[in-house]
Amino acid sequence: KDFGDIDTSTISLKFANGALGVVENLRFAPYGHDTQVEVVGSLGSVASGPNPQRTVRHSTASGVAMGRIAEHMPRFDPCFLAEMESFIAAVRSGEAKGPTAADGVANLVLVEACREALRTGQRVSTQRGPQASPSERKVRWGICGAGDICNDFCLALAHCGSDVASCAARDLGRAQKFAEDFNIAKAYGS
């Protein structure tokens, strides 16, 4: 708290469709890694997480079913492998899969709303006027630098259909050349 950071928190969410969500965060769990999820709906619920029996519980009007889950690493290893395989396939094919830059921005909007709620103690809405569909959302980038890494990054952004709105470099002439090479509207020097 003294450092403007939160170790333990609870976040209450209300989704556009009226569904409610609760996220609990605990950075330090002295009993070990703790990953849990529970979804409760009008027709039943599903829960998974650390418990003595290491089970998944599925409850409906028909009854309760239980199944075994693996420990942390065996449970997540296939996910990590699938992520890496998907990333490598995307690099090789040039076709992005999975989360987009717009998904990352949506995540940041939620994080900033949580920070604002913490600061003010008030409910904060993430609705910012008419919402664009994911295919209509476009992230506009600002690039700091005009070297090889920035060059490669701009090539990747162009491949993904993202816009670079401005660039900056220590030398204005170099920034202007970089802007010209990548059709960037604004260039700044320091």
Side-chain angles (χ1 to χ4, degrees):
K1 189 174 180 181
D2 295 339
F3 300 103
D5 192 22
I6 298 300
D7 176 75
T8 304
S9 66
T10 301
I11 302 163
S12 299
L13 303 168
K14 182 175 182 184
F15 296 93
N17 67 359
L20 302 175
V22 177
V23 178
E24 296 174 343
N25 297 296
L26 174 64
R27 182 170 304 140
F28 178 72
Y31 51 86
H33 184 81
D34 186 348
T35 303
Q36 300 181 46
V37 64
E38 181 175 19
V39 177
V40 179
S42 58
L43 300 177
S45 67
V46 176
S48 173
N51 54 56
Q53 294 80 30
R54 291 189 304 277
T55 56
V56 175
R57 184 188 75 239
H58 180 220
S59 306
T60 67
S62 303
V64 177
M66 306 281 260
R68 305 260 314 146
I69 60 172
E71 291 294 334
H72 170 70
M73 289 311 291
R75 188 165 28 137
F76 288 103
D77 277 351
C79 298
F80 298 145
L81 179 61
E83 286 175 351
M84 289 304 296
E85 288 172 344
S86 177
F87 175 75
I88 292 167
V91 169
R92 285 182 175 158
S93 70
E95 293 181 27
K97 305 229 180 207
T100 65
D103 296 321
V105 170
N107 210 3
L108 286 173
V109 167
L110 186 56
V111 167
E112 288 303 315
C114 290
R115 289 172 50 133
E116 180 68 9
L118 175 65
R119 187 182 71 73
T120 64
Q122 301 293 314
R123 177 181 169 198
V124 176
S125 174
T126 59
Q127 295 297 322
R128 305 283 187 240
Q131 298 296 304
S133 70
S135 62
E136 295 171 325
R137 294 182 206 141
K138 193 170 243 186
V139 175
R140 299 179 69 222
W141 294 84
I143 303 297
C144 293
D148 291 341
I149 293 173
C150 294
N151 183 76
D152 293 347
F153 189 70
C154 284
L155 289 171
L157 289 174
H159 182 74
C160 295
S162 293
D163 288 337
V164 178
S166 63
C167 66
R170 278 184 263 183
D171 177 81
L172 177 60
R174 191 165 180 200
Q176 289 171 329
K177 171 76 169 96
F178 190 86
E180 182 182 317
D181 291 348
F182 287 98
N183 197 29
I184 299 171
K186 297 181 181 178
Y188 301 94
S190 58

